[in-house]
C-alpha cells in the first residue's frame, strides 16, 4: 500500500519537475537535486515507515481485540495476555527491521524513476507506473531474503 | 553610453572570451544534434541564436551550463572547461551564470519571493539582505507586487519576468536566455526583450539568447536602454552606438552564420535570406 501511494507520489512529483525543467533549473542554480530532493524523501520515508508500522501493529491488535471481545465473546484480559505470550523477539525484530528496508526501497525507487522521466506528461505517467511495479516487486523479493536472514539470525531455520 | 557602431559583433574589440565552443559534437542515439559547433562569446556581448526547431539551440545553452556533456569537443565558460568538469565542481561555476529557461522552470511549490531568493538562501545570505535583493530584482522586472504569489497565479509573461529576476539576483557575469519570448504575445515579448536590453546595457552582462522571433533579435540589435528615461529606445541612424549584439544561425547541427547584424543583412546565402525574409 505504501509502495503504491508513496513511490507513485514521488515518481510523479519529481517526474513533473523533470519535464518542466525544474530539475535542470535547480542544477543551474547551483544545487544538487539528489541532496535537495532525494535525501529528505529517503530519510523521511525510512523514519516514518518505522513509526507507521508501530501504529499499524497497534491498530491491528486493537482490531483483533474488538473482534475477539465483541464477535467471539472472548475475555478482554485473556486476549491481551494470549497476544503478549505469542509475541516473540523474532516477530518484533522482523516487524521493525523490514519497514526500514522497505521505506528505503520505496523512496529510492520512486525518486529514481521520477528523476529518470523522459518525454513530457506521457513520460510522467509511465515513470509513475514503473515506480509502483518496481517498488512492489522489489519489496516482495527483498522480503523473502530479509525474512530468511532474520530467521537464520534467530536460529529458527530448520 | 560607449560610442561605436551598431555593428555589434566584435566591434568593441573585447579580447576576453566568456564562452567558447570548439568543435563540439553531440548525438542522441542516431540523431546528430550538433556537428562540430565552434563559436566564441566575447565579454559584454549578446549573441542571438537562430535556427529551426530541433536545430540544437537550447542544447547549446545546456552544454554551456554543464547540464549536458558533449560527445566530443571543448567548451570553456569563464575560463573553466565545463566539458570535462565533475558535477560537484560545476555548482560553483553555475553560481556565476544565470539561466532563463524556455518555460520559466519556476518551482511550483515556492512563492515568487522564494523562487527568486532560492540561490541566495542556498548561499546562506542573511534574510534581511535576501528580502532587499529580491525586491530589487523584482522591481527590475516590474513585478515587486507579486512577492507572495505562486507561479500558477501568474501569466506566462510574468513567469518569464520572474525567471529573469531569479537569473539576475546574484548579478551573474553571463546570462543564458532560452527562448524568453517563446509563446508570448508581441507586446509581452517586446517587454521581455526590453528587460534583456536593460540587463545588457545597464549591467553589461554577456549573454547567449535563443529565439525564434527574428523581430526580437533585430530589436535588440537596433535598440539601447535609456537609463534616464527608463525605457528602450531605437538607435537613430548615424548614431554610432554599439548595441553589442551579434547573430549565430544553426542548420543541421552546424553554424552557417556567425556575425553582426549588417553582415547578416548582406549575406548571399539563400537559406539565410529565406530565413530572415
Amino acid at each position: 500500500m505504501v509502495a503504491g501511494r508513496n513511490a507513485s507520489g514521488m515518481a510523479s512529483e519529481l517526474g513533473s519537475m523533470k519535464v518542466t525543467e525544474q530539475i535542470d533549473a535547480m542544477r543551474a542554480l547551483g544545487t544538487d537535486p539528489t541532496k535537495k530532493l532525494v535525501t529528505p524523501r529517503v530519510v523521511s520515508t525510512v523514519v516514518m515507515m518505522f513509526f507507521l508500522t508501530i501504529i499499524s501493529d497497534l491498530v491491528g491488535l486493537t482490531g483483533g481485540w474488538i473482534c475477539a471481545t465483541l464477535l467471539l465473546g472472548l475475555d478482554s484480559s485473556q486476549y491481551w495476555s494470549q497476544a503478549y505470550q505469542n509475541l516473540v523477539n523474532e516477530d518484533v525484530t522482523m516487524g521493525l527491521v523490514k519497514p526500514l528496508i522497505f521505506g528505503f526501497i520505496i523512496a529510492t525507487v520512486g525518486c529514481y524513476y521520477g528523476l529518470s522521466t523522459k518525454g513530457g506528461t506521457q513520460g510522467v505517467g509511465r515513470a509513475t507506473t514503473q515506480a509502483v511495479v518496481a517498488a512492489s516487486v522489489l519489496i516482495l523479493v527483498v522480503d523473502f531474503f530479509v525474512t530468511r536472514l532474520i530467521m537464520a539470525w534467530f536460529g529458527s531455520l530448520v | 553610453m560607449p560610442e561605436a557602431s551598431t555593428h555589434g559583433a566584435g566591434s568593441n574589440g573585447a579580447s576576453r572570451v566568456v564562452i567558447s565552443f570548439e568543435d563540439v559534437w553531440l548525438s542522441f542515439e542516431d540523431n546528430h544534434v550538433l556537428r562540430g559547433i565552434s563559436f566564441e562569446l566575447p565579454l559584454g556581448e549578446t549573441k542571438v541564436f537562430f535556427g529551426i526547431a530541433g536545430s540544437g539551440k537550447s542544447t547549446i545553452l545546456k552544454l554551456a551550463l554543464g547540464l549536458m556533456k558533449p560527445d566530443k569537443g571543448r567548451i570553456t565558460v569563464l575560463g573553466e572547461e565545463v566539458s570535462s568538469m565533475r558535477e560537484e565542481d560545476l555548482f560553483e561555476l553555475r553560481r556565476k551564470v544565470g539561466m532563463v529557461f524556455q518555460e520559466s522552470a519556476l518551482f511550483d511549490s515556492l512563492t515568487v519571493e522564494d523562487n527568486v531568493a532560492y540561490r541566495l538562501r542556498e548561499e546562506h545570505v542573511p534574510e534581511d539582505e535576501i528580502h532587499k535583493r529580491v525586491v530589487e530584482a523584482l522591481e527590475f522586472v516590474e513585478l515587486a507586487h507579486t512577492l507572495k504569489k505562486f507561479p500558477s497565479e501568474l501569466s506566462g509573461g510574468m513567469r518569464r519576468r520572474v525567471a529573469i529576476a531569479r537569473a539576475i539576483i546574484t548579478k551573474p557575469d553571463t546570462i543564458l536566455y532560452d527562448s524568453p519570448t517563446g509563446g508570448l504575445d508581441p507586446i509581452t515579448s517586446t517587454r521581455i526583450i526590453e528587460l534583456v536590453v536593460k540587463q545588457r546595457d545597464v549591467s553589461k552582462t554577456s549573454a547567449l539568447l535563443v529565439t525564434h522571433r527574428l523581430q526580437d533579435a533585430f530589436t535588440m540589435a537596433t535598440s539601447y536602454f535609456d537609463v534616464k528615461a527608463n525605457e528602450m529606445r531605437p538607435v537613430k541612424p548615424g548614431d554610432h552606438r554599439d548595441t553589442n549584439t551579434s547573430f549565430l544561425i544553426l542548420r543541421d547541427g552546424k553554424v552557417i552564420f556567425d556575425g553582426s547584424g549588417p553582415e547578416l543583412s548582406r549575406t548571399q546565402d539563400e537559406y539565410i535570406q529565406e530565413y530572415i525574409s
Side-chain angles (χ1 to χ4, degrees), chain B residues 119-138:
Chain B
R119 192 178 273 190
L120 300 180
R121 292 232 165 86
E122 290 295 302
E123 289 169 11
H124 307 292
V125 175
E127 272 305 313
D128 357 328
E129 195 191 327
I130 288 179
H131 183 73
K132 202 181 102 194
R133 283 172 67 180
V134 168
V135 172
E136 196 183 307
L138 285 171

Side-chain angles (χ1 to χ4, degrees), chain A residues 13 16-17 20-33 36, chain B residues 62 65-67 87 91 94-95 101-102 105-108 118-119 122 166:
Chain A
E13 191 183 359
S16 301
M17 288 183 77
T20 54
E21 292 188 311
Q22 289 179 54
I23 302 291
D24 277 345
M26 195 169 270
R27 291 170 67 205
L29 289 165
T31 310
D32 183 353
K36 194 80 180 173
Chain B
K62 288 186 177 173
L65 210 53
L67 298 175
E87 181 78 7
F91 290 131
R94 287 177 188 149
R95 292 198 170 108
F101 285 84
Q102 202 163 10
L106 298 177
F107 303 123
D108 298 328
Y118 188 87
R119 192 178 273 190
E122 290 295 302
R166 184 172 71 176

Side-chain angles (χ1 to χ4, degrees), chain A residues 43-62:
Chain A
V43 172
S44 56
T45 311
V46 168
V47 172
M48 292 319 291
M49 276 292 281
F50 181 81
F51 291 109
L52 198 63
T53 306
I54 294 173
I55 293 169
S56 304
D57 289 346
L58 283 174
V59 170
L61 278 169
T62 311

Side-chain angles (χ1 to χ4, degrees), chain B residues 196-270:
Chain B
V196 175
V197 171
K198 188 177 176 183
Q199 181 65 20
R200 180 194 71 192
D201 294 348
V202 176
S203 306
K204 310 284 181 200
T205 46
S206 315
L208 293 183
L209 184 140
V210 166
T211 184
H212 292 286
R213 285 169 51 92
L214 283 166
Q215 192 193 343
D216 292 343
F218 289 126
T219 306
M220 284 189 66
T222 56
S223 307
Y224 71 99
F225 194 81
D226 187 333
V227 182
K228 281 183 190 162
N230 195 33
E231 64 177 16
M232 183 170 70
R233 291 193 166 166
V235 177
K236 289 176 189 160
D239 184 357
H240 300 292
R241 194 184 292 272
D242 193 345
T243 55
N244 288 317
T245 301
S246 66
F247 301 89
L248 188 146
I249 302 178
L250 293 169
R251 187 186 182 188
D252 298 331
K254 289 179 179 171
V255 176
I256 57 167
F257 177 85
D258 186 4
S260 66
E263 282 166 2
L264 180 62
S265 58
R266 283 196 301 267
T267 184
Q268 296 301 311
D269 187 294
E270 277 181 29

